[in-house]
Amino acid sequence: MKGFLKVSTKSQYALMLLSYIASCDGRVVSLSEISKKERISHGYLEEIVSSLKKFGILSSKAGRSGGYFLLKSPYNIKISDIVNIFEGDTAPVKCLSGQKCAKEKGCKTKFIWRSLKESVDKTLNSIKLADIL
């Protein structure tokens, strides 16, 4: 199904995973535990945590009592930080993400798309991970 401004399951599951880890009060949490509690495939979670580690949101501890933990306080993680990792730029049209558009000169609709982008960005920047715990 094609959708306007559709958010991927990776973004959705990343937020579920992070809120679960954040709710564990600093405890190292295994992917098996998260997979079971959130009913998300272990393999899919591995893909998600790989990206979150690469961008400095999560770290891991190896070994028998290993798992994942947040590198930042949930009060310092904006929802936009997470969504941008998996979705990229929130611009709904090319010209707002720096790409050329043949119709840009004289475009009468650009203000609509700019307003939409600004609204989405403002919302995602205003909500912290702590707000969804």
PDB file of all heavy atoms in Angstrom, residues 76-101:
ATOM      1  N   ASN A  76      17.059  13.096  26.360  1.00  0.00           N
ATOM      2  CA  ASN A  76      17.943  13.709  25.359  1.00  0.00           C
ATOM      3  C   ASN A  76      17.846  13.047  23.994  1.00  0.00           C
ATOM      4  O   ASN A  76      18.653  13.350  23.109  1.00  0.00           O
ATOM      5  CB  ASN A  76      19.389  13.680  25.846  1.00  0.00           C
ATOM      6  CG  ASN A  76      19.601  14.552  27.057  1.00  0.00           C
ATOM      7  OD1 ASN A  76      18.979  15.595  27.194  1.00  0.00           O
ATOM      8  ND2 ASN A  76      20.457  14.117  27.952  1.00  0.00           N
ATOM      9  N   ILE A  77      16.900  12.145  23.823  1.00  0.00           N
ATOM     10  CA  ILE A  77      16.710  11.484  22.531  1.00  0.00           C
ATOM     11  C   ILE A  77      15.399  11.976  21.939  1.00  0.00           C
ATOM     12  O   ILE A  77      14.323  11.707  22.467  1.00  0.00           O
ATOM     13  CB  ILE A  77      16.689   9.947  22.676  1.00  0.00           C
ATOM     14  CG1 ILE A  77      18.003   9.445  23.259  1.00  0.00           C
ATOM     15  CG2 ILE A  77      16.406   9.292  21.321  1.00  0.00           C
ATOM     16  CD1 ILE A  77      18.005   7.962  23.606  1.00  0.00           C
ATOM     17  N   LYS A  78      15.511  12.740  20.851  1.00  0.00           N
ATOM     18  CA  LYS A  78      14.323  13.242  20.164  1.00  0.00           C
ATOM     19  C   LYS A  78      13.793  12.158  19.223  1.00  0.00           C
ATOM     20  O   LYS A  78      14.569  11.383  18.659  1.00  0.00           O
ATOM     21  CB  LYS A  78      14.642  14.496  19.360  1.00  0.00           C
ATOM     22  CG  LYS A  78      15.085  15.673  20.210  1.00  0.00           C
ATOM     23  CD  LYS A  78      15.373  16.890  19.371  1.00  0.00           C
ATOM     24  CE  LYS A  78      16.654  16.684  18.591  1.00  0.00           C
ATOM     25  NZ  LYS A  78      17.136  17.866  17.893  1.00  0.00           N
ATOM     26  N   ILE A  79      12.489  12.131  19.068  1.00  0.00           N
ATOM     27  CA  ILE A  79      11.880  11.179  18.139  1.00  0.00           C
ATOM     28  C   ILE A  79      12.416  11.423  16.726  1.00  0.00           C
ATOM     29  O   ILE A  79      12.633  10.482  15.970  1.00  0.00           O
ATOM     30  CB  ILE A  79      10.337  11.266  18.188  1.00  0.00           C
ATOM     31  CG1 ILE A  79       9.822  10.934  19.597  1.00  0.00           C
ATOM     32  CG2 ILE A  79       9.700  10.355  17.143  1.00  0.00           C
ATOM     33  CD1 ILE A  79      10.293   9.607  20.177  1.00  0.00           C
ATOM     34  N   SER A  80      12.703  12.675  16.397  1.00  0.00           N
ATOM     35  CA  SER A  80      13.267  12.986  15.075  1.00  0.00           C
ATOM     36  C   SER A  80      14.611  12.297  14.865  1.00  0.00           C
ATOM     37  O   SER A  80      14.931  11.886  13.745  1.00  0.00           O
ATOM     38  CB  SER A  80      13.414  14.494  14.885  1.00  0.00           C
ATOM     39  OG  SER A  80      14.302  15.042  15.835  1.00  0.00           O
ATOM     40  N   ASP A  81      15.405  12.153  15.946  1.00  0.00           N
ATOM     41  CA  ASP A  81      16.697  11.458  15.832  1.00  0.00           C
ATOM     42  C   ASP A  81      16.491  10.038  15.309  1.00  0.00           C
ATOM     43  O   ASP A  81      17.246   9.562  14.466  1.00  0.00           O
ATOM     44  CB  ASP A  81      17.407  11.376  17.189  1.00  0.00           C
ATOM     45  CG  ASP A  81      17.767  12.730  17.773  1.00  0.00           C
ATOM     46  OD1 ASP A  81      17.899  13.701  17.007  1.00  0.00           O
ATOM     47  OD2 ASP A  81      17.922  12.798  19.009  1.00  0.00           O
ATOM     48  N   ILE A  82      15.480   9.380  15.831  1.00  0.00           N
ATOM     49  CA  ILE A  82      15.211   7.982  15.466  1.00  0.00           C
ATOM     50  C   ILE A  82      14.600   7.889  14.074  1.00  0.00           C
ATOM     51  O   ILE A  82      15.050   7.111  13.230  1.00  0.00           O
ATOM     52  CB  ILE A  82      14.273   7.322  16.506  1.00  0.00           C
ATOM     53  CG1 ILE A  82      14.785   7.520  17.934  1.00  0.00           C
ATOM     54  CG2 ILE A  82      14.048   5.853  16.180  1.00  0.00           C
ATOM     55  CD1 ILE A  82      16.234   7.205  18.160  1.00  0.00           C
ATOM     56  N   VAL A  83      13.577   8.680  13.829  1.00  0.00           N
ATOM     57  CA  VAL A  83      12.895   8.630  12.536  1.00  0.00           C
ATOM     58  C   VAL A  83      13.862   8.974  11.406  1.00  0.00           C
ATOM     59  O   VAL A  83      13.858   8.315  10.363  1.00  0.00           O
ATOM     60  CB  VAL A  83      11.656   9.557  12.532  1.00  0.00           C
ATOM     61  CG1 VAL A  83      11.053   9.659  11.137  1.00  0.00           C
ATOM     62  CG2 VAL A  83      10.617   9.041  13.531  1.00  0.00           C
ATOM     63  N   ASN A  84      14.734   9.957  11.605  1.00  0.00           N
ATOM     64  CA  ASN A  84      15.680  10.330  10.550  1.00  0.00           C
ATOM     65  C   ASN A  84      16.670   9.215  10.229  1.00  0.00           C
ATOM     66  O   ASN A  84      17.116   9.093   9.086  1.00  0.00           O
ATOM     67  CB  ASN A  84      16.431  11.606  10.922  1.00  0.00           C
ATOM     68  CG  ASN A  84      15.546  12.832  10.878  1.00  0.00           C
ATOM     69  OD1 ASN A  84      14.536  12.850  10.195  1.00  0.00           O
ATOM     70  ND2 ASN A  84      15.921  13.855  11.606  1.00  0.00           N
ATOM     71  N   ILE A  85      17.006   8.387  11.211  1.00  0.00           N
ATOM     72  CA  ILE A  85      17.907   7.255  10.956  1.00  0.00           C
ATOM     73  C   ILE A  85      17.297   6.313   9.929  1.00  0.00           C
ATOM     74  O   ILE A  85      17.973   5.851   9.009  1.00  0.00           O
ATOM     75  CB  ILE A  85      18.220   6.488  12.261  1.00  0.00           C
ATOM     76  CG1 ILE A  85      19.114   7.333  13.170  1.00  0.00           C
ATOM     77  CG2 ILE A  85      18.854   5.124  11.966  1.00  0.00           C
ATOM     78  CD1 ILE A  85      19.284   6.762  14.575  1.00  0.00           C
ATOM     79  N   PHE A  86      16.012   6.032  10.084  1.00  0.00           N
ATOM     80  CA  PHE A  86      15.374   5.020   9.244  1.00  0.00           C
ATOM     81  C   PHE A  86      14.626   5.585   8.037  1.00  0.00           C
ATOM     82  O   PHE A  86      14.443   4.878   7.048  1.00  0.00           O
ATOM     83  CB  PHE A  86      14.428   4.164  10.096  1.00  0.00           C
ATOM     84  CG  PHE A  86      15.162   3.402  11.153  1.00  0.00           C
ATOM     85  CD1 PHE A  86      15.187   3.853  12.459  1.00  0.00           C
ATOM     86  CD2 PHE A  86      15.876   2.254  10.840  1.00  0.00           C
ATOM     87  CE1 PHE A  86      15.894   3.169  13.444  1.00  0.00           C
ATOM     88  CE2 PHE A  86      16.586   1.569  11.809  1.00  0.00           C
ATOM     89  CZ  PHE A  86      16.602   2.023  13.107  1.00  0.00           C
ATOM     90  N   GLU A  87      14.208   6.835   8.104  1.00  0.00           N
ATOM     91  CA  GLU A  87      13.423   7.417   7.015  1.00  0.00           C
ATOM     92  C   GLU A  87      14.208   8.413   6.178  1.00  0.00           C
ATOM     93  O   GLU A  87      13.821   8.712   5.059  1.00  0.00           O
ATOM     94  CB  GLU A  87      12.174   8.118   7.568  1.00  0.00           C
ATOM     95  CG  GLU A  87      11.311   7.273   8.472  1.00  0.00           C
ATOM     96  CD  GLU A  87      10.810   5.992   7.841  1.00  0.00           C
ATOM     97  OE1 GLU A  87      10.591   5.940   6.610  1.00  0.00           O
ATOM     98  OE2 GLU A  87      10.635   5.009   8.596  1.00  0.00           O
ATOM     99  N   GLY A  88      15.281   8.975   6.733  1.00  0.00           N
ATOM    100  CA  GLY A  88      16.013  10.007   6.016  1.00  0.00           C
ATOM    101  C   GLY A  88      15.301  11.345   6.146  1.00  0.00           C
ATOM    102  O   GLY A  88      14.553  11.580   7.082  1.00  0.00           O
ATOM    103  N   ASP A  89      15.521  12.196   5.180  1.00  0.00           N
ATOM    104  CA  ASP A  89      14.964  13.544   5.170  1.00  0.00           C
ATOM    105  C   ASP A  89      13.433  13.503   5.176  1.00  0.00           C
ATOM    106  O   ASP A  89      12.827  12.663   4.513  1.00  0.00           O
ATOM    107  CB  ASP A  89      15.470  14.273   3.921  1.00  0.00           C
ATOM    108  CG  ASP A  89      15.159  15.743   3.894  1.00  0.00           C
ATOM    109  OD1 ASP A  89      14.528  16.255   4.839  1.00  0.00           O
ATOM    110  OD2 ASP A  89      15.549  16.397   2.917  1.00  0.00           O
ATOM    111  N   THR A  90      12.825  14.437   5.886  1.00  0.00           N
ATOM    112  CA  THR A  90      11.361  14.483   5.958  1.00  0.00           C
ATOM    113  C   THR A  90      10.741  15.323   4.849  1.00  0.00           C
ATOM    114  O   THR A  90       9.528  15.509   4.827  1.00  0.00           O
ATOM    115  CB  THR A  90      10.897  15.061   7.314  1.00  0.00           C
ATOM    116  OG1 THR A  90      11.419  16.385   7.448  1.00  0.00           O
ATOM    117  CG2 THR A  90      11.317  14.185   8.467  1.00  0.00           C
ATOM    118  N   ALA A  91      11.555  15.830   3.933  1.00  0.00           N
ATOM    119  CA  ALA A  91      11.027  16.667   2.850  1.00  0.00           C
ATOM    120  C   ALA A  91      10.069  15.862   1.976  1.00  0.00           C
ATOM    121  O   ALA A  91      10.442  14.802   1.461  1.00  0.00           O
ATOM    122  CB  ALA A  91      12.168  17.222   2.012  1.00  0.00           C
ATOM    123  N   PRO A  92       8.845  16.352   1.783  1.00  0.00           N
ATOM    124  CA  PRO A  92       7.875  15.613   0.967  1.00  0.00           C
ATOM    125  C   PRO A  92       8.084  15.791  -0.540  1.00  0.00           C
ATOM    126  O   PRO A  92       7.498  15.052  -1.325  1.00  0.00           O
ATOM    127  CB  PRO A  92       6.532  16.193   1.402  1.00  0.00           C
ATOM    128  CG  PRO A  92       6.849  17.570   1.865  1.00  0.00           C
ATOM    129  CD  PRO A  92       8.241  17.510   2.439  1.00  0.00           C
ATOM    130  N   VAL A  93       8.909  16.778  -0.929  1.00  0.00           N
ATOM    131  CA  VAL A  93       9.192  17.002  -2.352  1.00  0.00           C
ATOM    132  C   VAL A  93      10.689  17.253  -2.547  1.00  0.00           C
ATOM    133  O   VAL A  93      11.374  17.700  -1.637  1.00  0.00           O
ATOM    134  CB  VAL A  93       8.361  18.189  -2.923  1.00  0.00           C
ATOM    135  CG1 VAL A  93       6.889  17.851  -2.987  1.00  0.00           C
ATOM    136  CG2 VAL A  93       8.584  19.455  -2.117  1.00  0.00           C
ATOM    137  N   LYS A  94      11.170  16.980  -3.757  1.00  0.00           N
ATOM    138  CA  LYS A  94      12.599  17.072  -4.069  1.00  0.00           C
ATOM    139  C   LYS A  94      13.217  18.432  -3.771  1.00  0.00           C
ATOM    140  O   LYS A  94      14.308  18.527  -3.238  1.00  0.00           O
ATOM    141  CB  LYS A  94      12.848  16.750  -5.547  1.00  0.00           C
ATOM    142  CG  LYS A  94      12.649  15.327  -5.942  1.00  0.00           C
ATOM    143  CD  LYS A  94      13.193  15.074  -7.328  1.00  0.00           C
ATOM    144  CE  LYS A  94      12.205  15.374  -8.401  1.00  0.00           C
ATOM    145  NZ  LYS A  94      12.681  14.995  -9.746  1.00  0.00           N
ATOM    146  N   CYS A  95      12.523  19.492  -4.128  1.00  0.00           N
ATOM    147  CA  CYS A  95      13.132  20.822  -4.033  1.00  0.00           C
ATOM    148  C   CYS A  95      13.420  21.235  -2.595  1.00  0.00           C
ATOM    149  O   CYS A  95      14.257  22.096  -2.364  1.00  0.00           O
ATOM    150  CB  CYS A  95      12.244  21.862  -4.709  1.00  0.00           C
ATOM    151  SG  CYS A  95      10.619  22.061  -3.974  1.00  0.00           S
ATOM    152  N   LEU A  96      12.779  20.612  -1.616  1.00  0.00           N
ATOM    153  CA  LEU A  96      13.032  20.945  -0.217  1.00  0.00           C
ATOM    154  C   LEU A  96      14.174  20.133   0.382  1.00  0.00           C
ATOM    155  O   LEU A  96      14.586  20.382   1.503  1.00  0.00           O
ATOM    156  CB  LEU A  96      11.764  20.754   0.620  1.00  0.00           C
ATOM    157  CG  LEU A  96      10.629  21.714   0.316  1.00  0.00           C
ATOM    158  CD1 LEU A  96       9.416  21.400   1.174  1.00  0.00           C
ATOM    159  CD2 LEU A  96      11.058  23.160   0.504  1.00  0.00           C
ATOM    160  N   SER A  97      14.671  19.175  -0.376  1.00  0.00           N
ATOM    161  CA  SER A  97      15.811  18.393   0.111  1.00  0.00           C
ATOM    162  C   SER A  97      17.065  18.695  -0.698  1.00  0.00           C
ATOM    163  O   SER A  97      17.999  17.902  -0.720  1.00  0.00           O
ATOM    164  CB  SER A  97      15.485  16.898   0.090  1.00  0.00           C
ATOM    165  OG  SER A  97      15.229  16.461  -1.221  1.00  0.00           O
ATOM    166  N   GLY A  98      17.065  19.841  -1.395  1.00  0.00           N
ATOM    167  CA  GLY A  98      18.258  20.276  -2.111  1.00  0.00           C
ATOM    168  C   GLY A  98      18.394  19.750  -3.525  1.00  0.00           C
ATOM    169  O   GLY A  98      19.372  20.050  -4.205  1.00  0.00           O
ATOM    170  N   GLN A  99      17.427  18.980  -3.990  1.00  0.00           N
ATOM    171  CA  GLN A  99      17.488  18.458  -5.358  1.00  0.00           C
ATOM    172  C   GLN A  99      16.844  19.458  -6.312  1.00  0.00           C
ATOM    173  O   GLN A  99      15.978  20.238  -5.933  1.00  0.00           O
ATOM    174  CB  GLN A  99      16.760  17.117  -5.436  1.00  0.00           C
ATOM    175  CG  GLN A  99      17.381  16.039  -4.572  1.00  0.00           C
ATOM    176  CD  GLN A  99      16.594  14.743  -4.660  1.00  0.00           C
ATOM    177  OE1 GLN A  99      15.998  14.432  -5.674  1.00  0.00           O
ATOM    178  NE2 GLN A  99      16.583  13.992  -3.577  1.00  0.00           N
ATOM    179  N   LYS A 100      17.267  19.407  -7.548  1.00  0.00           N
ATOM    180  CA  LYS A 100      16.736  20.308  -8.573  1.00  0.00           C
ATOM    181  C   LYS A 100      15.341  19.864  -9.005  1.00  0.00           C
ATOM    182  O   LYS A 100      15.042  18.681  -9.067  1.00  0.00           O
ATOM    183  CB  LYS A 100      17.647  20.333  -9.801  1.00  0.00           C
ATOM    184  CG  LYS A 100      18.998  20.939  -9.533  1.00  0.00           C
ATOM    185  CD  LYS A 100      18.881  22.438  -9.392  1.00  0.00           C
ATOM    186  CE  LYS A 100      20.239  23.057  -9.149  1.00  0.00           C
ATOM    187  NZ  LYS A 100      20.141  24.431  -8.735  1.00  0.00           N
ATOM    188  N   CYS A 101      14.533  20.865  -9.303  1.00  0.00           N
ATOM    189  CA  CYS A 101      13.191  20.613  -9.815  1.00  0.00           C
ATOM    190  C   CYS A 101      12.974  21.534 -11.000  1.00  0.00           C
ATOM    191  O   CYS A 101      13.162  22.757 -10.884  1.00  0.00           O
ATOM    192  CB  CYS A 101      12.151  20.889  -8.728  1.00  0.00           C
ATOM    193  SG  CYS A 101      10.445  20.804  -9.317  1.00  0.00           S
TER     194      CYS A 101
END
